[in-house]
Amino acid sequence: MSGILWIILVGFIAGVIAKFLSPGPNNPSGFILTTALGIGGAFLATFIGQSIGHYSPDQGAGFITSTIGAIVVLFIWNRLVARGAISGPGSK
């Protein structure tokens, strides 16, 4: 249980950092969506790290890897919004 809480905490911080480091439009806007994408990035980094054997099954990704994961998720989000596959926040 503490592993998931760690991933959420690190994902929140990674999402905020990734939003500032990400080039291009600063989408998604909003605290909750940025947090969700950061947490998604942390889970992505943890999943990939555990899949390739870098992390043990009970270990989560660290700050740097989670930030990279959050940047990847943010990049994918921006590409999907730019392509029109999904609508961005505040769109009708």
Side-chain angles (χ1 to χ4, degrees):
M1 184 63 178
S2 66
I4 292 176
L5 292 175
W6 175 252
I7 291 171
I8 291 172
L9 176 67
V10 169
F12 165 72
I13 295 168
V16 172
I17 292 170
K19 186 169 181 172
F20 288 114
L21 293 177
S22 178
N26 208 1
N27 288 331
S29 59
F31 176 75
I32 294 175
L33 192 54
T34 300
T35 302
L37 290 177
I39 292 170
F43 275 106
L44 175 71
T46 299
F47 174 75
I48 291 173
Q50 289 175 351
S51 296
I52 63 173
H54 187 67
Y55 301 119
S56 65
D58 61 340
Q59 187 178 15
F63 284 113
I64 295 172
T65 315
S66 294
T67 303
I68 292 169
I71 289 172
V72 168
V73 170
L74 190 60
F75 176 77
I76 292 169
W77 174 271
N78 285 334
R79 292 298 99 213
L80 290 174
V81 169
R83 190 179 311 159
I86 58 174
S87 62
S91 299
K92 291 183 179 180

